[in-house]
């Protein structure tokens, strides 16, 4: 069964510093996708970044990068140069296989950026 | 504004009732996803449609059903509502149905079952 673990219920980071949000996953399927989403206090959901299991390079999207360590089954989100607007809940998710598969979400990490 | 619209924004109803949540994807997007977010169960994927056909099914209860119409809007029908169905229901859309396609989320429909 798929499983996503986010061990940090809450994190604090100083503005302009980098922060890493941890995510580990469990799957026996060699083909899977990993996703990160952001949910600010206003409630909307924002898709941040995607990493495929066969991708050779770590995914990056602006200030977001995914530190993908396949052997360790970890997919940590790195946010560089934190901004106050980065304060939010962050969810890691996985989808096994290709089409037709379920998404499984982690419990989330609440990030607070301090001025 | 993601370009994905959901109606209604809030819905309050009683146990045993049936409701319909509506989602209009971004122009040009063929895929629609439905998610449920509750305090008890966190975020859950319910179902995905691609160009009118069911593409993937997640933790969707039998009391729930969905469809995507020819104009690509989607509806999520929830019937025989229970207190535990109270949640925020998100719709998202993407251009294609692949994992790598960016999903754009609507603002959500907050359902309260009394």
């Amino acid at each position: 069964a798929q499983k996503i673990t986010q061990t940090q219920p809450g994190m604090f980071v100083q503005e302009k510093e980098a922060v890493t949000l941890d995510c580990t996953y469990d799957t026996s399927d060699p083909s899977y996708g990993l996703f990160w989403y952001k949910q600010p206090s206003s409630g909307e959901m924002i898709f941040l970044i995607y990493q495929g299991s066969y991708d050779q390079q770590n995914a990056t999207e602006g200030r977001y990068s995914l530190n993908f360590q396949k052997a360790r089954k970890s997919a940590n989100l790195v946010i560089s140069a934190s901004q106050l607007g980065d304060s939010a809940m962050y969810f890691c998710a996985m989808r096994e296989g290709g089409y037709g598969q379920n998404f499984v979400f982690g419990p989330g990490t609440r990030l607070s950026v301090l001025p | 504004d993601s370009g994905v619209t959901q109606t209604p924004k809030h819905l309050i109803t009683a146990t045993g009732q049936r409701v319909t949540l509506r989602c209009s994807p971004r122009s040009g997007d063929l895929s629609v996803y439905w998610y449920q977010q509750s305090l008890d169960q966190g975020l859950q994927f319910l179902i995905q449609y691609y160009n009118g056909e069911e593409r993937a099914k997640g933790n969707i209860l039998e009391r729930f059903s969905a469809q995507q119409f020819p104009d690509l809007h989607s509806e999520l029908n929830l019937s025989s509502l229970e207190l535990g169905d109270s949640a925020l229901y998100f719709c998202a859309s993407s251009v294609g149905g692949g994992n790598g396609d960016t999903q754009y989320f609507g603002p959500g429909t907050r359902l309260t079952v009394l």
Side-chain angles (χ1 to χ4, degrees):
Chain A
Q2 304 175 57
K3 186 177 176 182
I4 294 284
T5 302
Q6 294 180 256
T7 57
Q8 308 151 313
M11 287 276 289
F12 291 89
V13 65
Q14 209 67 37
E15 197 178 4
K16 298 180 186 175
E17 291 187 352
V19 63
T20 298
L21 305 184
D22 294 342
C23 173
T24 57
Y25 58 92
D26 184 29
T27 180
S28 56
D29 193 328
S31 175
Y32 52 89
L34 298 156
F35 307 77
W36 277 93
Y37 301 83
K38 172 185 177 183
Q39 188 174 36
S41 57
S42 52
E44 77 264 30
M45 194 68 68
I46 302 165
F47 174 93
L48 292 179
I49 197 167
Y50 164 78
Q51 177 86 42
S53 60
Y54 293 119
D55 293 344
Q56 295 297 313
Q57 296 192 332
N58 288 342
T60 60
E61 287 289 344
R63 293 186 299 109
Y64 303 107
S65 61
L66 200 152
N67 184 359
F68 180 44
Q69 298 189 47
K70 198 168 182 176
R72 295 185 179 183
K73 293 188 175 178
S74 77
N76 298 338
L77 178 70
V78 181
I79 305 175
S80 62
S82 297
Q83 301 172 356
L84 294 178
D86 293 334
S87 294
M89 279 291 284
Y90 288 82
F91 295 96
C92 178
M94 178 176 66
R95 191 181 206 187
E96 286 179 339
Y99 300 137
Q101 298 297 327
N102 192 10
F103 285 86
V104 175
F105 287 84
T109 293
R110 181 170 297 282
L111 176 67
S112 299
V113 180
L114 306 174
Chain B
D1 184 355
S2 67
V4 178
T5 60
Q6 287 188 250
T7 57
K9 195 166 184 177
H10 300 278
L11 195 49
I12 301 175
T13 188
T15 54
Q17 295 297 306
R18 173 189 169 97
V19 297
T20 297
L21 312 184
R22 184 188 167 102
C23 169
S24 293
R26 292 187 327 149
S27 177
D29 284 0
L30 297 179
S31 203
V32 168
Y33 306 74
W34 285 99
Y35 298 89
Q36 178 196 59
Q37 186 176 31
S38 65
L39 287 174
D40 289 345
Q41 309 219 28
L43 259 173
Q44 294 200 88
F45 165 70
L46 296 179
I47 198 162
Q48 177 192 359
Y49 282 86
Y50 177 77
N51 204 19
E53 295 195 358
E54 184 181 302
R55 176 60 64 91
K57 208 169 205 177
N59 302 319
I60 189 165
L61 299 172
E62 285 191 11
R63 300 183 285 109
F64 297 180
S65 64
Q67 55 183 326
Q68 186 180 29
F69 293 87
D71 67 353
L72 300 177
H73 92 272
S74 178
E75 292 181 357
L76 179 66
N77 299 297
L78 316 176
S79 62
S80 303
L81 285 168
E82 301 175 359
L83 296 177
D85 297 328
S86 294
L88 186 57
Y89 291 84
F90 286 108
C91 162
S93 73
S94 64
V95 171
N99 283 344
D101 294 331
T102 299
Q103 295 176 46
Y104 297 88
F105 282 77
T109 293
R110 182 162 296 281
L111 173 67
T112 302
V113 182
L114 301 175

